[in-house]
Amino acid sequence: QSVLTQPPSASGTPGQRVTISCSGSRSNIGSNSVYWYQQLPGTAPKVLIYSNNQRPSGVPERFSGSKSGTSASLAISGLRSEDEADYYCATWDDNLSGPHVIFGGGTKLTVL
Amino acid sequence: EVLLVESGGGLVKPGGSLRLSCAASEFTFSNYNMDWVRQAPGKGLEWVSSISSTSSFINYADSVKGRFTISRDNAKNSLYLHMNSLRVDDTAVYFCARENSFYGLDVWGQGTTVTVSS
């Protein structure tokens, strides 16, 4: 059971806009930046969004992130077949030993 | 090109031990905190452990605390994960990742597979 809650699946047709949600709490999303990772089949995760809504160089403008309170979302517009992947939200959390990253359970995006 | 390359995975019996390594190149390894993240077959990402740039701060997930030990050798640009008392549910692909306070886990290795089975 992940601390951050994501829908297990999402889908859309080419050209559509799809949104993936990520729900947390005041101690994690409510207090820290949110990141989104894209994991294509058989590959390592890659940063898609950092600091809630910033895109690293090379990530298309079709990908956008937002955060409000203890929730965040990833939007993909102009859906393309190559966007079919697993998407994970992440943020920082704190335990007795110090801050560490926590992940959502992941959302499998299918392009129909 | 900034690169992380893991090695050391393999098949081990329950109760056994394994040491994973992660070799870093093309960046100043000693400036960065580093993490191990694992992914069980068909499952999501799970943070395992992190170590600060000078090894001053070390943290573990509850699922591995007391069994796994993270360490690093900045002179060799290398990160390690010593895994003892391995269990079947430790079976996963283990990734090392560079931690960036602004960009998150911004560089990942390709992963090394650990299979715990009798």
Side-chain angles (χ1 to χ4, degrees):
Chain A
Q1 191 83 3
S2 302
V3 176
L4 304 179
T5 302
Q6 297 180 237
S9 64
S11 63
T13 56
Q16 267 190 331
R17 184 176 187 270
V18 170
T19 301
I20 297 172
S21 63
C22 175
S23 177
S25 67
R26 273 192 298 178
S27 67
N28 44 63
I29 289 180
S31 308
N32 297 286
S33 288
V34 175
Y35 308 84
W36 288 92
Y37 296 89
Q38 178 193 58
Q39 187 178 30
L40 297 169
T43 69
K46 162 192 146 181
V47 180
L48 207 57
I49 297 288
Y50 66 94
S51 295
N52 306 323
N53 54 18
Q54 302 298 303
R55 282 185 312 276
S57 60
V59 173
E61 291 182 11
R62 305 185 294 105
F63 294 91
S64 63
S66 65
K67 170 185 152 180
S68 178
T70 59
S71 295
S73 61
L74 172 71
I76 309 171
S77 58
L79 200 61
R80 304 174 69 158
S81 58
E82 57 261 39
D83 298 333
E84 188 158 288
D86 294 323
Y87 292 85
Y88 295 90
C89 61
T91 187
W92 303 99
D93 206 342
D94 219 327
N95 61 14
L96 292 175
S97 302
H100 62 277
V101 65
I102 56 172
F103 295 98
T107 299
K108 185 175 185 61
L109 175 63
T110 302
V111 181
L112 302 169
Chain B
E1 180 194 358
V2 173
L3 209 56
L4 294 171
V5 178
E6 302 94 337
S7 60
L11 174 63
V12 62
K13 288 181 167 49
S17 299
L18 214 51
R19 187 185 87 154
L20 306 184
S21 299
C22 171
S25 56
E26 300 302 323
F27 69 96
T28 306
F29 180 71
S30 58
N31 284 353
Y32 291 88
N33 298 346
M34 297 293 296
D35 290 59
W36 287 99
V37 175
R38 70 183 180 183
Q39 186 169 36
K43 302 295 184 183
L45 303 173
E46 179 190 16
W47 170 78
V48 172
S49 182
S50 58
I51 185 168
S52 63
S53 59
T54 59
S55 303
S56 300
F57 297 100
I58 286 175
N59 203 354
Y60 299 99
D62 288 343
S63 57
V64 306
K65 200 171 293 185
R67 301 187 298 121
F68 290 11
T69 302
I70 191 172
S71 62
R72 63 190 297 162
D73 186 336
N74 287 343
K76 294 184 177 179
N77 293 331
S78 292
L79 174 72
Y80 306 101
L81 187 68
H82 302 255
M83 304 185 296
N84 296 322
S85 303
L86 281 162
R87 309 190 298 224
V88 171
D89 62 0
D90 293 319
T91 295
V93 175
Y94 285 74
F95 298 99
C96 64
R98 187 177 80 171
E99 195 181 295
N100 185 305
S101 58
F102 195 56
Y103 297 106
L105 300 183
D106 65 341
V107 180
W108 295 66
Q110 85 289 351
T112 187
T113 300
V114 172
T115 303
V116 184
S117 173
S118 54

